[in-house]
Amino acid sequence: MITLSSDFGSPYPGAMKGVLSQWTDSQLVDVSHELPRQDLRQSAFWLRETLPYFPPAVHLVVVDPGVGTDRDAVVIRAGGHALVGPDNGVLLPTARALGGKGFELFRIETREEATEGTDRTGWPPRLASSTFHGRDVFAPAAGRVHEIGIDALDDDAGLHRLDDYESLRFPEAVVGESAATGTVLAVDDFGNTITNVPGSFVTESFGGSVSVNGDTVPLARSYAAVDPGELLVTVGSHGNVELAVNRGRGDDGFGLTAGEDVHLELV
């Protein structure tokens, strides 16, 4: 299985699938091509919350604001999975979730000379474009990893171990007995505003209230526990404190977006 995730929207993922079909007849699964555009931290969050639910697979990920620069292209082997994408940190939270500290990185070598036709099964992959490495580098790499097998990744496969790489870690909330200060990690398509404050901070207080940046709102186990249009604080499926509006948008209701700080106090 090869999964595909990107911030491309449409139609660019079709070109990556075309390249992959020249390498393999493996099942291709679209995870999302609507990851937050050029937003590494939000994209990394959603990848971490999604990809570990798959059985061992090759995961092709392209959120790449540095495309065409000297940033490396990498393969990460972690927990029986392989993550293929740019060396900009977007893969690292998922790699840690899959393999803990036990993951390995490999650099993908590329070549610049042109080849005729549309056959893209040559290796190393060629830099046919400086703006679409998803098609020209990462899709061939994902196809090759699938072809040779995740367990067989080594220097002999045309991949070179990499010890120096870009990391990405989510900020940690400061949590006390009755107050916590954190950051909005992501906002989903419903407008639910996901913080880095662990859900354990509020789970013993469901049915009570919490102050969010000075405004007091109810703490509830589910969205429908409050009236439509009412603000609430809950714990999402990711295990973190989430700010929401029943049948509305939490980002609008709380006036918050990804990257902004939030202060919570149990009332």
Side-chain angles (χ1 to χ4, degrees):
M1 177 189 298
I2 300 176
T3 75
L4 296 90
S5 304
S6 76
D7 59 354
F8 287 165
S10 178
Y12 297 110
M16 294 195 295
K17 287 184 174 181
V19 172
L20 286 167
S21 70
Q22 296 183 50
W23 280 91
T24 177
D25 59 1
S26 174
Q27 179 185 12
L28 304 180
V29 178
D30 290 302
V31 176
S32 175
H33 296 293
E34 302 296 337
L35 292 173
R37 295 271 168 93
Q38 301 185 349
D39 189 323
L40 298 179
R41 190 162 78 180
Q42 279 201 87
S43 296
F45 174 82
W46 292 121
L47 293 167
R48 188 194 68 177
E49 294 301 311
T50 305
L51 297 183
Y53 286 95
F54 282 88
V58 177
H59 304 289
L60 170 56
V61 174
V62 192
V63 180
D64 193 16
V67 62
T69 68
D70 60 358
R71 64 95 185 92
D72 283 324
V74 296
V75 178
I76 304 179
R77 178 166 56 194
H81 297 249
L83 304 164
V84 180
D87 179 29
N88 58 16
V90 72
L91 305 175
L92 265 295
T94 302
R96 295 186 190 103
L98 290 171
K101 295 182 179 180
F103 58 83
E104 301 171 275
L105 278 89
F106 303 85
R107 186 179 70 256
I108 302 168
E109 297 289 351
T110 59
R111 55 190 168 93
E112 296 187 3
E113 69 269 19
T115 56
E116 295 182 0
T118 58
D119 180 15
R120 298 181 185 275
T121 58
W123 191 263
R126 65 185 179 93
L127 293 175
S129 166
S130 62
T131 61
F132 196 1
H133 288 183
R135 177 194 67 192
D136 299 332
V137 178
F138 301 125
R144 180 166 176 81
V145 169
H146 187 273
E147 178 186 48
I148 66 176
I150 295 172
D151 291 338
L153 298 181
D154 55 29
D155 291 350
D156 293 335
L159 301 167
H160 304 283
R161 291 182 187 275
L162 185 65
D163 295 322
D164 184 18
Y165 53 87
E166 292 293 325
S167 186
L168 187 156
R169 291 187 180 274
F170 302 123
E172 293 187 7
V174 177
V175 181
E177 184 175 342
S178 60
T181 298
T183 300
V184 177
L185 293 178
V187 178
D188 69 17
D189 285 350
F190 291 96
N192 298 319
T193 303
I194 301 160
T195 78
N196 63 345
V197 178
S200 56
F201 174 67
V202 300
T203 50
E204 298 299 320
S205 301
F206 282 137
S209 299
V210 61
S211 170
V212 181
N213 291 346
D215 295 326
T216 301
V217 298
L219 275 169
R221 292 186 182 275
S222 66
Y223 307 119
V226 301
D227 293 332
E230 187 175 354
L231 282 67
L232 69 141
V233 172
T234 190
V235 177
S237 60
H238 34 72
N240 291 358
V241 170
E242 181 178 294
L243 315 179
V245 173
N246 184 20
R247 303 189 190 181
R249 294 191 62 88
D251 54 347
D252 291 340
F254 287 90
L256 290 169
T257 190
E260 293 190 310
D261 292 337
V262 59
H263 182 71
L264 307 176
E265 289 190 36
L266 299 175
V267 177

